[in-house]
């Protein structure tokens, strides 16, 4: 296994914060979908996990000084990272407008989740985070399953939206945990 560097830890910390933001956004969507019927219990649990991930990130920050420093990633990698998020934003806006104009507003959450899952596939290659491939596939599968449950009318739309949002949150939290475990394993 290749020794871990200061830049590796900085990259991991960035990805932990990416997962924190992603998880918090989706848990809020889920809570809103069910009108906080669980008294924000799920949101509270995710918030506790987010606090733990933040503390882990700060612990990693404290360890950076003891690690060797190597050249920062190239400009091309940073440009590709930015382009992925720009295209994701454009895809979400186009999808949102198209679905609303066509009268399919109930499909917005599954479509957003599908776009969010899709963005993890190229992002995995750019940030060299193999677990993002699994996360992207998981989120797209959750979005597709939710879409077909919604379309068939098996469950009320708000419940499907909540399950999609919680599925995205679960994927982000599990992936962040996996990233942390792998990093600490490399630090030993």
């Amino acid at each position: 296994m290749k020794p871990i560097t200061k830049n590796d830890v900085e990259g991991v910390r960035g990805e932990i914060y990416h997962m924190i933001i992603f998880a918090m956004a989706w848990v809020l969507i889920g809570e809103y979908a069910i009108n906080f019927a669980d008294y924000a219990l799920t949101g509270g649990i995710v918030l506790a996990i987010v606090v733990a991930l933040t503390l882990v990130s700060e612990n990693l920050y404290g360890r950076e000084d003891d690690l060797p420093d190597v050249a920062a990633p190239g400009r091309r990698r940073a440009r590709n990272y930015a382009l992925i998020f720009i295209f994701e934003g454009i895809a979400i806006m186009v999808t949102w407008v198209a679905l609303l104009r066509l009268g399919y507003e109930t499909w917005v959450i599954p479509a957003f989740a599908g776009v969010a899952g899709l963005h993890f596939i190229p992002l995995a290659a750019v940030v060299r985070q193999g677990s993002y491939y699994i996360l992207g596939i998981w989120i797209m599968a959750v979005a597709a399953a939710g879409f077909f449950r919604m379309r068939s009318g098996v469950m009320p739309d708000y419940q499907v939206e909540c399950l999609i949002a919680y599925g995205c949150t679960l994927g982000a939290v599990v992936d962040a945990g996996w990233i942390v475990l792998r990093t600490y394993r490399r630090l030993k």
Side-chain angles (χ1 to χ4, degrees):
M1 187 180 293
K2 187 175 97 174
I4 195 164
T5 66
K6 185 175 185 174
N7 289 341
D8 292 336
V9 172
E10 286 174 356
V12 163
R13 290 182 61 233
E15 295 314 311
I16 289 171
Y17 282 115
H18 181 204
M19 292 298 98
I20 286 172
I21 292 167
F22 191 80
M24 288 304 296
W26 279 106
V27 80
L28 287 173
I29 290 169
E31 290 291 339
Y32 180 78
I34 60 169
N35 201 21
F36 297 90
D38 68 346
Y39 302 101
L41 178 64
T42 307
I45 292 168
V46 172
L47 182 60
I49 293 168
V50 162
V51 168
L53 287 170
T54 303
L55 294 174
V56 165
S57 178
E58 291 305 311
N59 179 279
L60 289 172
Y61 178 73
R63 293 181 173 209
E64 282 181 9
D65 293 336
D66 302 332
L67 299 172
D69 201 4
V70 296
R75 293 176 76 183
R76 182 177 179 166
R77 189 168 155 197
R79 186 195 75 209
N80 289 344
Y81 187 84
L83 285 173
I84 289 168
F85 285 100
I86 289 168
F87 285 125
E88 179 188 21
I90 292 168
I92 285 175
M93 289 303 294
V94 168
T95 302
W96 183 41
V97 170
L99 288 174
L100 291 179
R101 290 228 181 248
L102 295 171
Y104 296 112
E105 56 276 337
T106 58
W107 294 0
V108 169
I109 297 299
F112 281 6
V115 170
L118 187 60
H119 103 278
F120 281 106
I121 304 301
L123 192 60
V126 170
V127 298
R128 296 183 183 104
Q129 195 65 260
S131 63
Y132 278 8
Y133 290 114
I134 297 166
L135 179 60
I137 292 167
W138 164 259
I139 292 171
M140 287 186 291
V142 166
F147 170 77
F148 288 116
R149 302 243 346 140
M150 189 179 282
R151 190 154 181 240
S152 68
V154 174
M155 295 172 71
D157 293 349
Y158 74 93
Q159 287 179 352
V160 175
E161 290 171 350
C162 179
L163 290 175
I164 291 170
Y166 288 169
C168 293
T169 302
L170 177 67
V173 166
V174 168
D175 190 63
W178 177 249
I179 291 169
V180 166
L181 287 174
R182 230 180 39 232
T183 302
Y184 274 106
R185 198 175 309 142
R186 285 182 67 195
L187 282 169
K188 288 184 181 181

